[in-house]
Amino acid sequence: MSQEIRIGKIATLLAMLDESEYSSFEAMFNEVDTCLGKVGSMNMQKVISSVETAVKRSGLIEEGVYRETHALYHTIVEALEGVTRGQLAIGETMRTVGLRFAVVRGRPYTEEKEGEWIAVAFYGTIGAPIKGLEHEALGLGINHI
């Protein structure tokens, strides 16, 4: 694994940083392609589709290529498992999320044959659908394309 290109670390930083803090880490982001966004919902499908739509619109993945969409989907689900503590349910369990997300595509290995990988990081809040009754949450998923 390359010591310079850590797509999981980059995705996590991007999801957690406020826009005013980006410049401190800008050099780290130059070696990868990124997509940033926000989503809030009590519906897991809306969270997944928000990330997929943002990534496709940004051109980070090629929409007509199944392996790219498939890798993105599994990476999103893996990251959501972290946010939901392994219980992939939000509205069904009377929880809501307010999340920032970062998607990073790059080559974390020095060996060219290892190809491209994708990372999705979520950072924000999860909790009861009552303002003030939520807590911070973080999730990270990484998958090969």
Side-chain angles (χ1 to χ4, degrees):
M1 178 178 278
S2 170
Q3 294 302 309
E4 289 107 34
I5 304 174
R6 303 261 177 149
I7 62 172
K9 180 178 183 177
I10 293 168
T12 303
L13 280 170
L14 282 170
M16 295 181 78
L17 293 173
D18 292 325
E19 288 182 32
S20 62
E21 299 169 316
Y22 289 165
S23 61
S24 301
F25 299 91
E26 204 165 348
M28 186 185 300
F29 309 146
N30 291 335
E31 298 294 320
V32 295
D33 295 317
T34 63
C35 175
L36 306 174
K38 296 178 182 179
V39 61
S41 184
M42 286 184 69
N43 183 312
M44 187 74 67
Q45 291 172 324
K46 287 183 181 177
V47 175
I48 294 168
S49 64
S50 292
V51 177
E52 285 185 348
T53 299
V55 169
K56 288 175 182 177
R57 284 186 180 161
S58 74
L60 197 65
I61 68 166
E62 196 171 329
E63 193 169 350
V65 179
Y66 175 72
R67 67 182 168 81
E68 294 195 3
T69 303
H70 186 76
L72 175 64
Y73 172 79
H74 283 287
T75 308
I76 294 168
V77 171
E78 183 179 346
L80 283 171
E81 286 177 357
V83 170
T84 62
R85 297 179 181 172
Q87 301 172 7
L88 276 176
I90 300 175
E92 300 87 350
T93 56
M94 292 305 295
R95 297 190 292 182
T96 188
V97 295
L99 302 168
R100 287 191 301 222
F101 63 84
V103 183
V104 175
R105 180 177 181 154
R107 295 180 175 273
Y109 294 96
T110 54
E111 180 62 47
E112 187 73 20
K113 293 177 189 174
E114 296 295 343
E116 290 185 295
W117 290 63
I118 195 161
V120 173
F122 289 107
Y123 174 73
T125 59
I126 186 169
I130 302 168
K131 187 81 172 149
L133 296 183
E134 63 275 333
H135 59 81
E136 288 177 293
L138 177 67
L140 173 66
I142 300 174
N143 205 331
H144 58 87
I145 297 177

